[in-house]
């Protein structure tokens, strides 16, 4: 890990050879299936028209209007790597280099931080307050290390494909679960003054073939308009609504056009319809063109280099300077790019007392190279070892504990009495014997699996493994630290706990034959975990299986064995893998996690388009979303296929009773939302071509080898300027390109879309009582909408819309929770109207409330305002 960020860069760019023919031309589009097309949407809407950003834009305009051309192009692109990405600065005006840092679960590549549970574990808590608290803690830690931009949360991939490599970075295979968790994370992080980045826009649902290289474009996610709006865009819209400062464009293409230069996606959907006011950055090395990406709405090139890093080449920086001087990119676009970046910095208050980075993502030592990209002196202090942990391990522990999901508990085997004699099997019970951080970017599955692999990881400051936490409580524990059955002397009635796992990560690394996605292991447990469970279950009567996993696994090899009585999904717990799990096993607390995805009996219970990864193809790999809205439980319900465990399922040591439900109409609904407000004013700058001298390097400036600069040699600047002055045509603009700003679509009007979409349509309450016999516990109420029958839109039978978790309820204790459904929650995206439509406002929408997507015991009706228990269930 001596050269963390630099190594990661090199690995990321392996196999991605720069094709100069890409630069500055419109990439020829591969044939996408009939019916999908990359639509042109120009120009990029100017930022600044949303009232809550007005002050930030006014300050930004004052600053940007003093910037020279080279200063503007400096801040839109990367330079140097103390952090995983850093922009250039405009220090003359007090605008610093911004430090952009991974990951979504903790400050990557540094010490004295908290390695939080992954997104998937966080989603499994279904606890809004806790999700927000984790966001606050993450924000404090990024700020404490001086990172300006938090490269998270991840809401794309959304978890469409169970085998997808990075699903675990996000919160679960449902747009609303992703949206609520993503938005609460954004809120928590940004309240600390740190810019959050919602990523990756969009369709990055598998790892393999995601990147562009000389011989092959990244795959194309072919998504129809309605599916995009109702499924994949939904969490992005919610994050924009929460004021997210940055968006990261994905590696892959959508409808054949690379996301980083997809004008419809960035200009149209994100900046016009969703009214996004912050800046869009490329994923690392996803930037593949100079002029076209700028025109298509990209605002920041990360890490700044072309696909072959560290040679001083960039599509932007000096080339962006040239492209503005020669008139190919209108100055107005560059002004908007720079203004969006500076406005976001002001909006988050980073102009006031924001710490500079006090860590290096490249070395653990106190001293290191000041310019690590150049791999040459000078040296100096780069790490100050600032301890940002506070008491955040308690939040991490709470998430790990409350995300732990009890799938099965036959005979109430769990919890175990403290006196139980326990035999523990599997290497997954103990920390990696080589050290918790032994593998580069966690690209190995050895010892307890606390997180997946790739850029979405952080170093463990310590690792509380399950075996230590169990032993802190009991000395009656025998641990067999092996994945093959050790044939111990058995007393069949002892409890046996078996630890098994399934890992995944980013395509940058191959782990045990898996290319990021679980292409080799598929849903089979790693290290012959199934055999271990079977062997143990043949000898012991009371078996508990603990699963550390990135996603669903196939449970069929052993789930019906009579001795396999309990199954706990501990997901990916981060550094706090032990304490919370031990508390659950011994009954100090009831489990309260719920599955953030369905577990099917077999992979083929899902259609080929989502059950399988798309393999190699000549030309562009086509990943067509032919299943439309029907992923996870939406598909299973439509086809009447019972999963082994449904989305939302999770048991407690007690049982809950849902009663006395109410539904109240708050905002009366109409077919269409009320008309949007027109856009507010935006900053206006002079359109005059900058003077060539604004691109000259200051006399005597010594550049650092391999670093990127925004200046041009005088001669080149003069030549480019001459072309610009002559207004000589010469640039082959993409089809549909024009420079006229527009009023924006009817479906827009505020951050996230038309603000009326968030009017509360119905408010529901339900009273939840702990009706069990012995234990206290926490329940989750999940609200699903069922659209009226006979509407002209095919809709999934039920769709999650809101959820609430109770506090700890003692025996007989009760709590009334409130659930809300907005206008958008009751709308479908009408592709002809290009708007959200409530199909029949007066008709019966049924709001189902229950403990899982297949356990919905309470029905509330919008037409009568009545609720009932015991109605015929929808699934
Ligand atoms: C992809 O193509 C479909 C079908 O033409 C269209 O509905 C959708 O809006 C397109 N999406 C993008 C991002 O271009
Ligand atoms: C661009 O940023 C780098 C790094 O902060 C800085 O050295 C350089 O002076 C900046 N260039 C301009 C034009 O301000
Ligand atoms: C202007 O410069 C850009 C960046 O190098 C280049 O891609 C483009 O073709 C140039 N345009 C003209 C008209 O020379
Ligand atoms: C097995 O363990 C139980 C208690 O857990 C004990 O009562 C019994 O005597 C033991 N049997 C043998 C053969 O050791
Ligand atoms: C842009 O606006 C100009 C001036 O109003 C007009 O002449 C031109 O036709 C417009 N172009 C497009 C593509 O709308
Ligand atoms: C509190 C704490 O964990 N401090 C550590 C911060 O990092 C340095 C360098 O790794 C350690 O020496 C400290 O112990
Ligand atoms: C070198 C440096 O800028 N260190 C800063 C690191 O961050 C802390 C606050 O978390 C500042 O106090 C230090 O000045």
């Amino acid at each position: 890990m001596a050269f963390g960020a630099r190594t990661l860069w090199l690995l990321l760019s392996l196999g991605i050879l720069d094709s100069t023919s890409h630069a500055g031309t419109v990439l020829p589009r591969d044939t996408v299936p009939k019916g999908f097309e990359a639509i042109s949407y120009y120009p990029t809407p100017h930022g600044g028209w949303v009232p809550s950003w007005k002050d930030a834009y006014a300050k930004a305009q004052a600053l940007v209007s003093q910037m020279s051309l080279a200063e503007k192009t400096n801040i839109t692109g990367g330079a140097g790597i103390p952090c995983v990405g850093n922009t250039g600065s405009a220090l003359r005006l007090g605008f610093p280099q911004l430090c952009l840092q991974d990951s979504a679960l903790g400050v990557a590549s540094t010490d004295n931080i908290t390695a939080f549970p992954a997104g998937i574990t966080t989603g499994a808590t279904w606890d809004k307050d806790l999700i927000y608290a984790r966001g606050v803690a993450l924000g404090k830690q990024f700020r404490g290390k001086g990172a300006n931009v938090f490269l998270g949360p991840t809401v794309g991939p959304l978890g469409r494909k169970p085998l997808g490599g990075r699903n675990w970075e996000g919160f679960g295979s449902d747009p609303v679960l992703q949206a609520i968790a993503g938005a609460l994370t954004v809120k928590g992080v940004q309240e600390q003054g740190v810019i959050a980045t919602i990523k990756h826009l969009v369709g990055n649902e598998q790892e393999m073939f995601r990147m562009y290289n000389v011989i092959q474009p990244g795959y194309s996610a072919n998504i129809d308009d309605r599916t995009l709006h109702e499924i994949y865009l939904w969490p992005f819209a919610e994050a924009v609504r929460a004021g997210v400062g940055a968006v990261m464009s994905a590696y892959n293409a959508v409808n054949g056009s690379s996301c980083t230069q997809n004008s419809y996606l960035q200009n149209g959907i994100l900046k016009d319809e969703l009214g996004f006011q912050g800046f869009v950055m490329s994923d690392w090395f996803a930037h593949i063109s100079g002029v076209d990406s700028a025109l298509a709405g990209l605002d920041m090139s990360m890490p700044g280099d072309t696909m072959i890093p560290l040679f001083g080449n960039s599509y932007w920086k000096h080339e962006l300077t040239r492209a503005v001087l020669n008139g190919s990119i209108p100055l107005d676009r560059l002004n908007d790019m720079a203004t969006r970046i500076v406005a976001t910095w002001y909006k988050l208050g980073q102009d006031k007392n924001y710490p500079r980075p006090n860590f290096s993502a490249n070395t653990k030592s106190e001293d290191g190279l000041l310019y690590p990209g150049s791999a040459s002196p000078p040296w100096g202090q780069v790490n100050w070892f600032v301890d940002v942990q506070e008491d955040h391990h308690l939040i991490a522990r709470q998430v790990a504990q409350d995300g732990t999901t009890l799938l099965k508990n036959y005979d109430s085997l769990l919890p175990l009495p403290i006196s139980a004699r326990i035999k523990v099997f599997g290497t997954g019970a103990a920390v990696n014997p080589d050290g918790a951080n032994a593998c580069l970017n966690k690209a190995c599955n050895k010892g307890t699996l606390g997180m997946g692999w790739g850029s979405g990881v952080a170093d463990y400051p310590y690792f509380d493994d399950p075996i230590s936490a169990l032993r802190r409580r009991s000395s009656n524990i025998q641990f067999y630290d092996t994945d093959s059955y050790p044939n111990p002397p058995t007393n069949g009635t002892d409890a046996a706990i078996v630890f098994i796992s399934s890992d995944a990560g980013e395509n940058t690394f191959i782990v045990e034959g898996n290319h990021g996605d679980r292409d080799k292991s598929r849903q089979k447990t790693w290290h012959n975990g199934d055999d271990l469970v079977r062997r143990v279950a043949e000898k012991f009567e009371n078996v508990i299986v603990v699963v550390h996993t990135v996603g669903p696994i196939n449970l069929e090899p052993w789930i019906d064995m009579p001795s396999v009585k309990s199954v706990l999904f501990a997901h990916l717990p981060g550094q706090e893998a032990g304490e919370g799990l031990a508390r659950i096993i011994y009954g100090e607390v009831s489990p309260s996690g719920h599955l953030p995805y369905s577990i099917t009996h077999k992979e083929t219970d899902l259609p080929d388009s989502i059950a399988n990864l798309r393999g190699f193809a000549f030309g562009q790999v086509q990943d067509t979303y032919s299943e439309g809205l029907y992923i996870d439980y939406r598909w299973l319900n439509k086809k009447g296929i019972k999963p082994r465990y449904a989305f939302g399922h999770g048991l407690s040591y007690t049982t809950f009773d849902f009663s006395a439900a109410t539904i109240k109409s708050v905002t009366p609904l109409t077919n269409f939302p009320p008309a949007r407000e027109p856009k507010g004013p935006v900053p206006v700058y002079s359109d005059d071509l900058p003077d060539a001298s604004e691109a000259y390097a200051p006399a005597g400036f010594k550049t650092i080898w391999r670093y990127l600069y925004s200046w041009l040699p005088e001669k080149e600047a003069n030549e480019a300027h001459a072309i610009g002055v002559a207004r000589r045509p010469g640039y082959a603009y993409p089809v549909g390109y024009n420079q006229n700003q527009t009023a924006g679509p009817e479906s827009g009007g505020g951050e996230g879309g038309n603000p009326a979409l968030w009017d509360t349509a119905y408010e529901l309450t339900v009273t939840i009582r702990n009706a069990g016999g012995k234990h206290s516990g926490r329940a989750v109420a999940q609200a699903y909408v069922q659209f009226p029958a006979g509407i002209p839109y095919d809709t999934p039978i039920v769709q999650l819309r809101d959820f609430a978790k109770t506090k700890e309820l003692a025996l007989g204790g009760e709590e009334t929770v409130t659930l809300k459904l907005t206008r958008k929650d009751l709308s479908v995206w009408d592709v002809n109207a290009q708007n959200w439509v409530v199909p029949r406002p007066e008709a019966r929408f049924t709001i189902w409330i229950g403990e899982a997507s297949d356990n919905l015991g309470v029905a509330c009706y919008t037409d009568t305002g009545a609720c009932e228990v015991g109605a015929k269930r929808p699934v």
Side-chain angles (χ1 to χ4, degrees):
M1 288 289 267
F3 291 94
R6 194 159 176 262
T7 314
L8 184 66
W9 279 29
L10 292 169
L11 286 167
L12 268 170
S13 62
L14 267 185
I16 308 163
L17 299 175
D18 183 11
S19 158
T20 45
S21 67
H22 284 176
T25 60
V26 185
L27 273 173
R29 285 190 183 135
D30 268 64
T31 325
V32 297
K34 227 169 143 305
F36 296 95
E37 55 165 330
I39 303 159
S40 290
Y41 199 106
Y42 296 99
T44 303
H46 291 155
W49 53 269
V50 166
S52 60
W53 283 73
K54 202 168 163 237
D55 291 351
Y57 267 86
K59 290 181 194 161
Q61 182 179 10
L63 195 87
V64 172
S65 59
Q66 300 171 58
M67 282 187 181
S68 69
L69 173 60
E71 283 167 338
K72 292 174 192 171
T73 54
N74 208 34
I75 67 169
T76 62
I81 43 180
C83 305
V84 74
N86 305 266
T87 65
S89 61
L91 286 180
R92 184 179 64 91
L93 299 166
F95 190 80
Q97 282 193 280
L98 301 181
C99 157
L100 291 79
Q101 187 61 15
D102 284 317
S103 77
L105 59 65
V107 191
S109 313
T110 188
D111 46 66
N112 297 325
I113 55 100
T114 305
F116 288 92
I120 201 71
T121 319
T122 310
T125 67
W126 296 68
D127 183 338
K128 291 179 181 174
D129 295 341
L130 190 54
I131 295 168
Y132 166 73
R134 175 177 172 275
V136 170
L138 278 165
K140 286 187 174 163
Q141 298 203 359
F142 275 77
R143 185 183 181 115
K145 291 286 186 184
N148 301 79
V149 181
F150 161 69
L151 296 174
T154 306
V155 296
L158 183 111
R160 166 176 176 251
K161 298 188 180 193
L163 304 181
R166 295 181 79 177
N167 298 349
W168 58 272
E169 294 184 38
F171 305 98
S173 302
D174 175 274
V176 170
L177 183 56
Q178 287 278 5
I180 291 176
L184 287 168
T185 304
V186 166
K187 184 169 179 284
V189 166
Q190 294 203 154
E191 281 172 3
Q192 316 315 311
V194 178
I195 298 165
T197 310
I198 197 84
K199 64 185 190 181
H200 311 82
L201 190 74
V202 64
N204 190 173
E205 299 289 334
Q206 76 169 43
E207 284 296 288
M208 293 189 297
F209 310 109
R210 63 181 180 160
M211 271 174 141
Y212 278 69
N213 63 44
V214 214
I215 50 162
Q216 202 182 25
Y219 63 75
S220 176
N222 305 313
I223 316 177
D224 68 83
D225 191 27
R226 182 165 168 215
T227 300
L228 180 75
H229 278 86
E230 294 190 24
I231 306 285
Y232 299 95
L233 192 66
W234 190 292
F236 287 93
E238 212 65 36
V240 173
R241 168 127 180 117
V244 73
V247 170
M248 190 188 290
S249 260
Y251 286 117
N252 55 280
V254 170
N255 287 10
S257 168
S258 165
C259 288
T260 58
Q261 55 177 18
N262 188 317
S263 64
Y264 183 67
L265 208 55
Q266 298 181 138
N267 288 340
I269 298 273
L270 179 66
K271 288 182 173 173
D272 232 5
E273 184 183 322
L274 300 190
F276 174 59
Q277 303 293 303
F279 61 90
V280 186
M281 70 181 81
S282 66
D283 201 343
W284 269 233
F285 308 108
H287 194 192
I288 60 166
S289 67
V291 177
D292 298 314
S293 58
L295 301 180
L298 191 73
D299 302 307
M300 185 185 279
S301 171
M302 273 294 144
D305 304 54
T306 56
M307 295 175 209
I308 302 190
L310 303 170
F311 280 93
N313 297 326
S314 179
Y315 291 113
W316 282 4
K317 288 289 187 178
H318 50 277
E319 290 308 319
L320 188 57
T321 303
R322 191 193 317 275
V324 172
L325 278 180
N326 75 21
S328 290
I329 295 179
L331 179 61
D332 136 275
R333 178 72 265 267
L334 177 64
N335 284 335
D336 178 59
M337 289 157 71
T339 308
R340 284 172 173 274
I341 293 166
V342 176
T344 306
W345 179 73
Y346 277 122
K347 181 85 161 66
L348 276 292
Q350 294 195 353
D351 55 318
K352 298 197 187 75
N353 303 321
Y354 204 86
R356 299 296 308 139
N358 48 43
F359 73 101
S360 166
N362 296 287
T363 176
K364 303 268 183 275
S365 312
E366 182 160 352
D367 288 351
L369 294 170
L370 294 185
Y371 303 99
S374 71
S376 56
W379 290 66
Q381 184 171 3
V382 292
N383 276 309
W384 280 264
F385 307 110
V386 176
D387 187 348
V388 295
Q389 297 170 94
E390 299 183 30
D391 60 356
H392 299 156
H393 69 287
L394 296 175
I395 293 168
R397 182 181 298 171
Q398 193 81 33
V399 174
Q401 171 186 298
D402 292 356
T404 299
T405 309
L406 180 65
L407 298 183
K408 171 179 182 180
N409 197 23
Y410 185 69
D411 258 359
S412 299
L413 172 59
L414 285 176
L416 298 177
I418 201 75
S419 59
R421 296 205 321 197
I422 302 177
K423 293 200 162 54
V424 176
F425 300 90
T427 56
V431 64
N432 181 350
D434 306 332
N437 297 311
C439 302
L440 179 69
N441 288 84
K442 303 284 179 291
C444 67
N445 179 9
K446 199 168 175 192
T448 311
L449 184 66
M451 51 183 83
W453 75 76
S455 59
V457 303
D459 288 351
Y460 297 115
Y462 61 83
F463 196 86
D464 178 35
D465 60 6
I467 193 66
S468 308
L470 293 170
R471 284 179 169 152
R472 282 199 290 275
R473 290 171 167 72
S474 163
S475 53
N476 254 336
I477 295 172
Q478 272 276 341
F479 176 35
Y480 301 96
D481 192 2
T482 167
D483 294 323
S484 34
Y485 187 62
N487 255 319
T490 54
N491 177 336
T493 58
D494 287 358
I497 309 182
V498 191
F499 284 82
I500 58 175
S501 68
S502 178
D503 201 358
E506 196 171 7
N507 189 220
T508 329
F509 304 88
I510 303 170
V511 180
E512 300 186 27
N514 293 279
H515 295 77
D517 304 314
R518 295 187 285 172
D519 58 325
K520 177 148 187 279
S521 73
R522 304 195 66 101
Q523 293 191 34
K524 198 170 153 2
T525 52
W526 288 34
H527 309 151
N528 292 319
D530 298 329
D531 290 345
L532 183 62
V533 174
R534 291 188 63 92
R535 296 291 303 276
V536 172
E538 281 160 7
K539 291 284 171 59
F540 290 83
E541 287 163 30
N542 295 306
V543 179
I544 297 147
V545 182
V546 176
V547 189
H548 289 112
T549 182
V550 292
I553 61 165
N554 188 275
L555 305 172
E556 302 310 309
W558 41 261
I559 189 74
D560 283 331
M561 291 176 77
S563 52
V564 177
K565 292 184 178 163
S566 304
V567 179
L568 281 169
F569 264 43
H571 308 286
L572 301 172
Q575 71 183 38
E576 289 287 339
E579 187 65 15
L581 181 67
R583 294 187 69 195
I584 287 174
I585 288 175
Y586 284 115
E588 294 159 39
V589 65
S590 284
S592 63
H594 289 254
L595 280 179
Y597 43 73
S598 299
I599 299 175
T600 56
H601 285 94
K602 46 187 197 298
E603 292 185 16
T604 49
D605 284 347
L606 294 171
D608 171 72
S609 61
I610 56 180
N612 286 310
L613 302 158
R614 297 280 78 83
F616 177 81
F618 288 102
Q620 188 173 46
V621 171
Q622 300 297 325
D623 188 9
T624 300
Y625 289 38
S626 50
E627 76 287 349
L629 307 172
Y630 296 95
I631 60 169
D632 201 274
Y633 66 92
R634 289 167 168 81
W635 172 268
L636 298 170
N637 291 342
K638 180 185 170 79
K639 295 288 168 181
I641 300 169
K642 285 255 164 278
R644 175 55 79 164
Y645 295 111
F647 175 84
H649 170 75
L651 302 173
S652 169
Y653 293 152
T654 185
T655 55
F656 301 99
D657 185 49
F658 286 45
S659 67
T662 66
I663 180 169
K664 175 176 89 183
S665 159
V666 180
T667 309
L669 295 179
T670 45
N671 266 148
F672 285 92
R676 63 169 287 176
E677 295 280 319
K679 289 181 181 176
V682 295
V684 178
Y685 298 93
S686 157
D687 276 343
D688 297 347
L689 198 66
D691 202 85
S693 65
E694 290 191 32
Y696 300 169
F701 187 88
K702 233 177 118 294
T703 60
I704 296 154
W705 185 47
R706 294 178 151 173
Y707 274 61
L708 304 174
Y709 295 92
S710 58
W711 294 297
L712 283 177
E714 276 193 38
K715 183 165 167 289
E716 292 181 29
N718 294 344
E719 281 167 6
H721 188 259
I723 298 173
V725 168
R727 294 187 175 279
R728 262 187 268 143
Y731 192 79
Y733 286 108
V735 177
Y737 175 67
N738 76 84
Q739 289 187 48
N740 299 349
Q741 292 283 318
T742 61
E746 195 48 44
S747 54
E751 283 181 285
N754 186 338
L757 294 171
W758 282 271
D759 291 344
T760 301
Y762 292 94
E763 198 174 285
L764 296 94
T765 64
V766 64
T767 300
I768 304 173
R769 194 173 64 91
N770 180 344
K774 281 212 283 257
H775 300 272
S776 56
R778 301 180 66 195
V780 172
Q782 305 170 21
Y784 294 77
V785 66
Q786 180 176 24
F787 280 79
I791 55 170
Y793 306 91
D794 184 29
T795 53
I797 298 177
V798 291
Q799 305 193 73
L800 183 73
R801 286 301 189 243
D802 197 10
F803 55 87
K805 193 164 187 171
T806 66
K807 61 183 188 301
E808 175 121 357
L809 298 177
L811 269 189
E814 58 178 48
E815 181 178 335
T816 299
V817 299
T818 303
L819 299 154
K820 285 188 178 143
L821 272 76
T822 63
R823 182 191 306 272
K824 189 177 176 187
D825 290 331
L826 302 175
S827 299
V828 295
W829 177 256
D830 185 307
V831 299
N832 297 316
Q834 286 292 298
N835 209 338
W836 292 97
V837 172
V838 180
R840 283 177 59 211
E842 73 295 344
R844 167 167 296 194
F845 289 73
T846 308
I847 318 301
W848 293 94
I849 304 173
E851 294 187 79
S853 65
D854 66 345
N855 181 10
L856 299 170
V858 178
C860 294
Y861 308 110
T862 58
D863 55 343
T864 58
C867 294
E868 65 175 317
V869 177
K872 183 175 178 309
R873 297 182 180 203
V875 289

